[in-house]
DNA sequence: AGCATTTGACCGAA
DNA sequence: TTCGGTCAAATGCT
């Protein structure tokens, strides 16, 4: 429960920093979007050997979007990790890019009970999980959430023509007990309900945070743990996977939240068998066109 | 070989 | 008894 103290002390400041960072990123994004692509591309292709110059505007913009999303998500996660955050969930619901919501179990009764189920009975427990998810959202597109998930089951649900898919963090071997359920609740336009249970404590979670490459160096040093939930699998599909760097320096202890860093490709559920973690890479830019994204930008702009 | 997915079976809750 | 969540063997993929 000492985390509560940490949270009370640092939460507000951290949220403030996150929001500021998000605003900065949004501004940068705006610049990129209004940039003359052609001239920019030619300049960059010929151009310097600076790190950023290797990126085409599209990539830059994508990175910025990720940063914005990360920032917003982090803030929401902060808010959502407070006990009095009932109203925040409404905001979260609207943030279709948002992600898995790792929460301290101290804050989350549902998770606590789930954890109890998992840890107190070493034998196989097939108890039905609590109905209250840690985090829930409804979205028309399935966004990579920064974590890799392993599907462990699917069920037909009564009164629903769509299957419900069950996923758990691939790092369950690290005692990471994060899980998520994905169910399509509407066909056309597609609408998915995603429920997250528990939070990530796996290493990759920290790693992804640390290897995150800040677009703007000025705010890159925020030492918070958040989870932006972008599946690495999707990342892999987007960019030929570079080897992960060695584990980075220790982060603050069982941190409340975590930021993952990279890629926000669109996560797509297969129409037919609902196989998860299938992503439309080339459609990463769907983000740009989606109402959700525009709404997101609007929100950031208003900060 | 190692990891992810599929799928039928099992189990507890309602 | 039904339903939903999970397990685990079989299978597929890289």
């Amino acid at each position: 429960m000492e985390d509560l103290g940490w949270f009370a002390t640092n939460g507000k400041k951290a949220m403030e920093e996150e929001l500021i960072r998000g605003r900065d990123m949004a501004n940068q994004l705006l610049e990129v979007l209004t940039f003359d692509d052609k001239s920019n591309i030619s300049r960059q292709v010929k151009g310097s050997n600076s790190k950023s110059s290797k990126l085409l505007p599209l990539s830059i913009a994508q990175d910025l979007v990720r940063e914005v999303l990360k920032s917003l998500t982090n803030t929401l996660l902060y808010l959502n990790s407070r006990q009095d955050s009932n109203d925040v969930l409404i905001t979260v619901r609207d943030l279709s890019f948002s992600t898995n919501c790792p929460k301290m179990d101290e804050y989350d009764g549902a998770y606590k009970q789930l954890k109890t189920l998992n840890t107190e009975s070493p034998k196989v427990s097939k108890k039905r999980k609590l109905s209250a998810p840690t985090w829930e959202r409804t979205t028309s597109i399935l966004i990579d959430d920064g974590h890799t998930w392993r599907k462990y089951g699917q069920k037909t649900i009564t009164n629903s023509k769509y299957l419900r898919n069950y996923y758990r963090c691939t790092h369950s071997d690290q005692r990471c007990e994060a899980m998520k359920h994905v169910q399509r609740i509407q066909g056309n336009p597609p609408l998915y309900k995603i429920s997250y249970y528990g939070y990530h404590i796996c290493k990759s979670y920290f790693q992804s945070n640390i290897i995150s490459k800040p677009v703007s160096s000025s705010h890159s040093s925020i030492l918070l743990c958040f989870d932006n939930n972008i599946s690495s699998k999707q990342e892999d599909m987007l960019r030929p996977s570079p080897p992960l760097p060695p584990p980075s320096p220790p982060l603050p202890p069982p941190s409340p939240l975590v930021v993952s860093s990279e890629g926000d490709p669109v996560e797509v559920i297969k129409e037919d068998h609902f196989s998860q973690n299938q992503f439309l890479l080339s459609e990463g830019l769907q983000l740009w066109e989606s109402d959700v994204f525009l709404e997101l930008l609007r929100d950031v702009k208003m900060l």
Side-chain angles (χ1 to χ4, degrees), chain A residues 39-90:
Chain A
S39 61
N40 190 37
I41 288 173
S42 58
R43 200 178 316 154
Q44 290 186 338
V45 166
K46 292 176 190 171
S48 61
N49 48 4
S50 75
K51 198 175 173 185
S52 64
S53 70
K54 291 178 182 173
L55 298 172
L56 297 179
L58 193 58
S59 310
I60 297 172
Q62 285 174 326
D63 282 339
L64 287 169
V65 171
R66 289 181 192 119
E67 290 300 315
V68 171
L69 292 173
K70 191 193 300 177
S71 175
L72 290 173
T73 302
N74 291 350
T75 307
L76 288 170
L77 289 172
Y78 263 126
L79 291 168
N80 200 28
S81 296
R82 299 167 63 99
Q83 283 178 316
D84 57 349
S85 62
N86 290 342
D87 51 339
V88 175
L89 287 175
I90 297 169

Side-chain angles (χ1 to χ4, degrees), chain A residues 232-265:
Chain A
S232 58
K233 185 185 248 180
Q234 292 169 290
E235 288 172 30
D236 290 347
M237 294 173 73
L238 269 186
R239 35 186 110 128
S241 61
L244 283 175
S248 13
L251 275 174
S255 43
L257 312 164
V258 178
V259 176
S260 103
S261 52
E262 315 232 324
D264 285 321

